[in-house]
Amino acid sequence: MNKVATKEDVLARLKDGQVIMIGGFLDTGTPEALVDVLIEQKVKNLTVIANDTAFPEQGIGKLVVNRQVARVIVSHIGTNPETGRQMNAGELKVDLTPQGTLAERIRSGGAGLGGVLTPTGVGTIVGEGKEQIVSQGKTYLLELPLKADIALIKAWKADKYGNLIYNRAARNFNPLMAMAADFVIAEAEEILEVGSLDPDQVMTPGACVDMIIQGEKIW
């Protein structure tokens, strides 16, 4: 099945109020072209799950500056002063989650698990209001899984069936998010014919990907 799509196909999938996962780490491995489609569609009241909110002029930061986001679930916001300003002004809800915990919550969502037990945050503000479980004499927080309506991810190479390869550190959150959303749209630097990729190098199988669009090489 050929999954190569057009911008118009992507636009038709975007709605106000959606929960959207966006891959990347400080804009490395972020699907910039797909973020621009979100901006063009002018969808609002989004919940964005990502590692961070990048920079005001890049990636997810552009959505924050454009006031299209109502809530972010991220590991840090320090590189984007506008995120902090909106949070302090009560204009944006920010859920800060330790980075490893965030990754595991996304992985749990993709694997169909009920959550993950972690000692990170026990006895701190991170653990407030969360269920605590004692196992073998050690206390853990139960962190619930994260799922999304749509995941926007960035690949280095894709074939037309949606099999994906990531480029080194640009891999980051992308393969986890590809497992944890109802609909997955991948932006690829190169889209190749089926059979062009070495199966042993494929990091996300095409069964997890619903659409592919051509992006530009930015990393």
Side-chain angles (χ1 to χ4, degrees), residues 101-118 131 133 140-147:
T101 301
L102 178 64
E104 284 299 292
R105 291 180 69 189
I106 295 169
R107 186 188 65 81
S108 295
L113 303 179
V116 59
L117 296 179
T118 175
E131 184 177 352
I133 295 174
Y140 298 89
L141 299 180
L142 173 61
E143 294 282 2
L144 299 178
L146 290 171
K147 294 276 290 181

Side-chain angles (χ1 to χ4, degrees), residues 15-119:
K15 309 293 181 186
D16 291 349
Q18 286 178 320
V19 178
I20 298 181
M21 290 181 176
I22 303 178
F25 186 106
L26 290 180
D27 210 39
T28 294
T30 296
E32 286 283 354
L34 288 172
V35 171
D36 288 342
V37 171
L38 281 172
I39 292 171
E40 180 178 336
Q41 185 70 334
K42 298 180 181 178
V43 287
K44 57 185 183 298
N45 295 324
L46 300 175
T47 294
V48 172
I49 301 170
N51 178 66
D52 53 75
T53 57
F55 308 95
E57 69 284 355
Q58 287 181 282
I60 298 164
K62 294 187 290 187
L63 295 171
V64 173
V65 170
N66 215 34
R67 297 182 177 275
Q68 293 176 251
V69 183
R71 179 188 183 194
V72 294
I73 303 174
V74 293
S75 70
H76 69 88
I77 60 172
T79 56
N80 190 338
E82 178 60 16
T83 305
R85 192 202 65 75
Q86 289 186 24
M87 177 183 70
N88 291 331
E91 301 165 358
L92 173 67
K93 180 173 176 55
V94 176
D95 293 347
L96 290 171
T97 301
Q99 190 174 79
T101 301
L102 178 64
E104 284 299 292
R105 291 180 69 189
I106 295 169
R107 186 188 65 81
S108 295
L113 303 179
V116 59
L117 296 179
T118 175

